[in-house]
Amino acid sequence: MKRSRFISMLLLLAALLLAGGASFAQMGEVADPVPYPEGVMIGDNPIVRFNLDELLVYQALDSYSEPAWVTELVEAGELPPVEERLPDNPQVILESGMSTGLGDYGGQWRDFSGAPTEGWNFCARQSQGWYGINYIYGESLLKSGPTFLRKDALEPLPNLATDWEWSEDGYELTMNIIRGAKWSDGHAFGVHDIMFTWEHVIQDDNVDSWTTASTWSIGGEPITLEAVDDDTILWTFPVAFPVQQLFNMTFRLFNICAEHVYAPMHPAFNEESDYDTFKTFQVQDALPVPTMGPWVAVDYQIDEFMVHRRNPYYWKVDETGKQLPYLDEVTFEKGPDGTGRTLGTMAGSIDHSNLENPSTYVETITRSQEDDAHFSIEWSSELLAFVLQFNLSATLGVEDERDQALRDLFRDLRFRRAVQHALDGDGIGQAVIRGPFLRAFPGGITPGSPYFDIDSVVYYPYSPDSARALLAELGFEDTDGDGILNWTDGPLAGDNLVIVLNTSVAAAETNTIGEAAVLLLQEVGVQVNLRPLQGPAMDDAIVSGRWEMRVNRTGQEFTASFTRCNELAPLTTTTPAWHRADAGERDLMGFEVELIEIVEEFCLEPDFEARKALMSRYITLFTENVYNGGGVIGRYGLALAKRFNNIPVGAPPFFYQWTWGNVIPEAVWVNPDEQMEQIFPGTVPVYDEM
Ligand code: CA
């Protein structure tokens, strides 16, 4: 590979520089920005997008059906007929939005969880083991995961809320709720469950819920929710058209808690109970518990294995009236961490793994290309960014003259631009993994984000001469001839320019990127000392401000920008991590003041095109000012069993949500001749009489 040879040559050059010293190029011109190149697709699977009415509708169909073995249970008197189990207006998942088409019943999905299962009160923040278990278990008003599939609007999909309408002035939002749906134990679902969740989980400060009254407020003014009738709720907001709030009505943030399950244990209704009891009464292996999800956990061998069976009351169907899900069973092997998921996928015993760490891609890709591999890999759009960050706080963590001199330097655009010109992002990408997986990226909104605008990127190209010219302009000169530039002014005059760069011990690619940055910056006369840190030590450094530069994977705010808009500029005291406030004070740079104005408008703008125009300005300011230094952009990979049909084309393992929240698993199916033996065939969850 051309690029990796380049890195080798660079190593050689660095060695020569160290050995003999070198004279720097004459002060030259600084290169102008160039157009940021388009990314190269991997495979041929760009995301296929749909209008909402091509994906799903809510309507009664003429007839419904179910697996033959479920009909036998109905005939034996163990279940009501399917049309009585379904709501009046089930969600109908349409063939037009399916990647393969209408499915056959049967089969299973074998997955893996590397986190403990504490219990089943997700409403009070107990974990069911993540890794997909929580997505199967908890259902919310709206569903943000598949938003990446929409082309008509950048809004979450309807779920238990079927549709909604804003009042003319934008202060009220009326939501219709699915009619006549039932929990997996047959109890009626309805507005009463939503209002119980709002009043006695979210608004009750004693319940350790995922969102609280403070989440549901804007500028300190509360949002209110009230029941209109059995199928309708009404939101009232302190500002007009706060459409960003729709993203809070989704998984985890507004999962609906079953009133008939939780009210009897809630201290507001049961004076013999208390909040600890409320949180912990659903112990991990006392199954099944009621859910609105497509499968229900029926058996858990603690820390070993969990089996989920189809929910006979699930409220979605395909357009032929087949009750979903298509798959009968989902299993989760359990382990102490996620390693087992990758190993199991390679070995053929697990059906799904996420590729999130590029330095480990090769092994999985190689295995996927072998004839007997049972899985293939889908690549996301360019969402996975690693960048170099400068500590831009003027004061936080500044303890001596050296700290102050470095902060002043980092806050000078000429220095940040010099670093950007010195870093060969394409070459760094090849040092992490050869091939088309990573390429240069100037930071900010990721190319895979709906808000990306390639024409707004100010891209300073790889140009060591430009870096040298800028550093000379800043007054640096190698006065002692050792190959490293010296400060010529101020308290550090005479010292070499030395900067500490932190990387993450746990993320191998940050170390590879850091090592490449050391060599590339040395080439322009800057000595960088690499210091890998464990996660908690890095967190401490960020909070105390005692760090200089670091290599970091960027956050979800640069992809799902609207849902995390507060993190895009210095709007809170703790974000961005590279310019935290110091005891409430922050010396903002001029372009940061502009970023704040743009982002404040963005957060409250209901129109997508208007938001996109604001983000175009944001991208220009961010990249022109090198708010983050040069890095690399790449793709997540989603490894899934080849036998799965209907995985959405280009589905990312992580966008608004993780894999299970993205792939619409209730519509996934397996050809009968590829189905494997089930653990508990022919069974549905059975509840004790309450
Ligand atoms: Ca020197």
Side-chain angles (χ1 to χ4, degrees):
M1 283 284 159
K2 198 169 120 218
R3 286 298 179 182
S4 53
R5 204 164 64 234
F6 167 79
I7 288 285
S8 310
M9 284 170 58
L10 200 56
L11 277 160
L12 187 65
L13 175 65
L16 287 172
L17 283 169
L18 280 176
S23 59
F24 286 92
Q26 294 293 310
M27 200 201 292
E29 293 287 307
V30 176
D32 287 328
V34 298
Y36 183 57
E38 295 273 359
V40 177
M41 279 306 301
I42 305 179
D44 54 357
N45 288 326
I47 295 173
V48 179
R49 293 188 169 84
F50 303 91
N51 294 321
L52 180 62
D53 61 8
E54 297 172 291
L55 289 168
L56 60 87
V57 293
Y58 289 82
Q59 70 180 57
L61 300 181
D62 292 340
S63 65
Y64 300 104
S65 59
E66 63 200 343
W69 63 265
V70 178
T71 306
E72 286 172 24
L73 294 175
V74 173
E75 285 165 356
E78 291 176 36
L79 281 175
V82 62
E83 52 275 6
E84 291 177 22
R85 304 197 308 268
L86 283 165
D88 305 345
N89 55 337
Q91 184 185 106
V92 183
I93 297 187
L94 300 172
E95 186 175 12
S96 50
M98 293 177 172
S99 65
T100 315
L102 298 166
D104 286 309
Y105 279 129
Q108 82 220 112
W109 178 320
R110 305 164 305 162
D111 217 308
F112 185 95
S113 154
T117 298
E118 296 169 337
W120 293 91
N121 194 346
F122 193 39
C123 288
R125 224 184 245 261
Q126 274 195 317
S127 165
Q128 287 69 66
W130 301 108
Y131 284 75
I133 299 173
N134 294 58
Y135 281 115
I136 293 177
Y137 176 55
E139 291 281 352
S140 43
L141 281 177
L142 312 183
K143 207 167 157 112
S144 67
T147 302
F148 73 93
L149 285 170
R150 287 187 74 163
K151 67 179 176 192
D152 56 336
L154 199 73
E155 283 184 4
L157 275 67
N159 201 48
L160 289 163
T162 59
D163 57 293
W164 49 90
E165 194 176 358
W166 291 92
S167 62
E168 212 160 293
D169 65 4
Y171 286 86
E172 290 184 346
L173 176 68
T174 304
M175 271 186 171
N176 293 312
I177 305 302
I178 197 159
R179 296 188 302 272
K182 295 182 175 65
W183 293 89
S184 57
D185 61 355
H187 271 78
F189 167 88
V191 165
H192 61 277
D193 294 304
I194 297 167
M195 295 314 298
F196 170 80
T197 304
W198 177 257
E199 286 164 8
H200 297 290
V201 176
I202 290 173
Q203 301 284 343
D204 186 336
D205 289 343
N206 296 307
V207 175
D208 188 15
S209 48
W210 291 102
T211 60
T212 63
S214 71
T215 320
W216 298 96
S217 63
I218 299 174
E221 294 291 312
I223 294 168
T224 65
L225 177 65
E226 55 200 300
V228 175
D229 57 38
D230 286 350
D231 313 305
T232 317
I233 56 175
L234 175 68
W235 295 92
T236 307
F237 301 101
V239 298
F241 295 110
V243 295
Q244 196 215 351
Q245 294 299 322
L246 295 174
F247 286 94
N248 285 344
M249 302 174 193
T250 58
F251 174 73
R252 193 174 56 86
L253 305 175
F254 204 136
N255 270 23
I256 305 196
C257 318
E259 183 186 32
H260 72 283
V261 175
Y262 294 103
M265 298 302 289
H266 195 295
F269 299 89
N270 178 352
E271 58 187 22
E272 285 169 27
S273 187
D274 57 50
Y275 285 97
D276 279 341
T277 307
F278 175 73
K279 176 165 182 159
T280 57
F281 77 96
Q282 290 182 302
V283 298
Q284 52 194 342
D285 57 349
L287 295 170
V289 295
T291 168
M292 294 299 288
W295 298 274
V296 184
V298 294
D299 188 67
Y300 178 38
Q301 303 299 313
I302 292 172
D303 293 340
E304 291 178 10
F305 200 70
M306 187 184 287
V307 183
H308 301 244
R309 295 290 302 171
R310 65 178 303 117
N311 172 2
Y313 291 91
Y314 194 55
W315 41 280
K316 299 185 186 178
V317 299
D318 74 13
E319 67 187 52
T320 70
K322 270 186 166 175
Q323 188 184 29
L324 297 173
Y326 289 124
L327 298 176
D328 281 339
E329 193 171 270
V330 173
T331 60
F332 284 87
E333 233 176 82
K334 300 281 288 188
D337 56 46
T339 320
R341 185 169 68 177
T342 309
L343 295 177
T345 301
M346 308 271 267
S349 58
I350 300 294
D351 293 325
H352 153 228
S353 192
N354 294 341
L355 280 71
E356 307 159 39
N357 304 305
S359 59
T360 66
Y361 284 5
V362 169
E363 198 184 2
T364 314
I365 294 165
T366 305
R367 176 74 187 113
S368 75
Q369 288 164 346
E370 290 168 1
D371 290 342
D372 66 337
H374 81 301
F375 69 97
S376 57
I377 302 170
E378 287 260 350
W379 296 98
S380 76
S381 50
E382 292 181 309
L383 304 171
L384 178 59
F386 296 88
V387 296
L388 190 146
Q389 294 170 342
F390 310 90
N391 188 344
L392 295 178
S393 173
T395 55
L396 185 68
V398 171
E399 291 175 330
D400 54 27
E401 289 177 327
R402 178 176 178 280
D403 291 339
Q404 194 60 64
L406 280 178
R407 297 301 173 83
D408 292 346
L409 184 63
F410 295 159
R411 288 167 63 91
D412 189 318
L413 172 59
R414 291 172 296 176
F415 180 75
R416 299 195 302 276
R417 181 169 172 177
V419 170
Q420 172 67 32
H421 278 305
L423 295 178
D424 172 20
D426 290 335
I428 292 172
Q430 292 304 306
V432 175
I433 178 172
R434 297 182 187 193
F437 300 102
L438 294 173
R439 67 180 183 112
F441 177 58
I445 304 297
T446 60
S449 166
Y451 292 104
F452 188 66
D453 172 14
I454 197 165
D455 297 327
S456 297
V457 176
V458 177
Y459 184 50
Y460 300 118
Y462 172 52
S463 167
D465 283 342
S466 301
R468 290 186 191 104
L470 286 161
L471 290 164
E473 198 183 314
L474 284 160
F476 290 101
E477 192 185 336
D478 184 16
T479 48
D480 52 8
D482 67 351
I484 301 299
L485 296 168
N486 297 71
W487 297 81
T488 56
D489 199 9
L492 302 182
D495 290 358
N496 276 345
L497 173 55
V498 181
I499 304 170
V500 174
L501 176 64
N502 295 126
T503 57
S504 164
V505 172
E509 42 281 326
T510 66
N511 295 306
T512 312
I513 293 166
E515 285 161 12
V518 168
L519 296 174
L520 289 159
L521 286 165
Q522 189 164 289
E523 199 199 356
V524 300
V526 179
Q527 184 183 328
V528 174
N529 293 338
L530 204 60
R531 190 176 297 161
L533 290 180
Q534 300 284 358
M538 190 70 234
D539 292 344
D540 288 349
I542 293 292
V543 172
S544 66
R546 289 194 205 97
W547 63 283
E548 295 171 5
M549 299 196 303
R550 71 163 173 164
V551 177
N552 191 35
R553 178 159 118 176
T554 66
Q556 197 193 18
E557 64 272 23
F558 295 110
T559 293
S561 308
F562 194 45
T563 67
R564 298 214 176 174
C565 66
N566 280 336
E567 298 170 27
L568 288 169
L571 288 173
T572 75
T573 56
T574 58
T575 55
W578 61 87
H579 192 177
R580 287 169 69 102
D582 183 0
E585 299 290 315
R586 184 157 39 197
D587 184 4
L588 294 170
M589 292 177 281
F591 73 94
E592 289 182 299
V593 175
E594 284 184 72
L595 287 178
I596 288 170
E597 287 168 7
I598 292 170
V599 171
E600 281 180 337
E601 200 178 332
F602 174 77
C603 291
L604 291 174
E605 173 56 56
D607 178 65
F608 173 69
E609 290 303 326
R611 290 203 302 269
K612 201 160 157 48
L614 288 164
M615 276 302 101
S616 293
R617 284 172 54 206
Y618 177 91
I619 290 167
T620 298
L621 276 171
F622 192 106
T623 51
E624 187 172 48
N625 290 286
V626 196
Y627 205 19
N628 286 167
V632 294
I633 187 80
R635 298 157 195 279
Y636 291 96
L638 179 54
L640 281 172
K642 290 176 184 167
R643 69 179 196 285
F644 288 170
N645 294 302
N646 272 356
I647 299 295
V649 176
F654 182 52
F655 201 123
Y656 297 93
Q657 302 290 345
W658 290 94
T659 302
W660 275 92
N662 298 340
V663 300
I664 313 181
E666 57 271 24
V668 171
W669 57 279
V670 175
N671 276 314
D673 59 2
E674 292 178 283
Q675 293 176 2
M676 298 174 196
E677 202 176 329
Q678 298 176 23
I679 308 290
F680 297 124
T683 63
V684 294
V686 177
Y687 293 85
D688 295 334
E689 292 297 323
M690 297 191 61

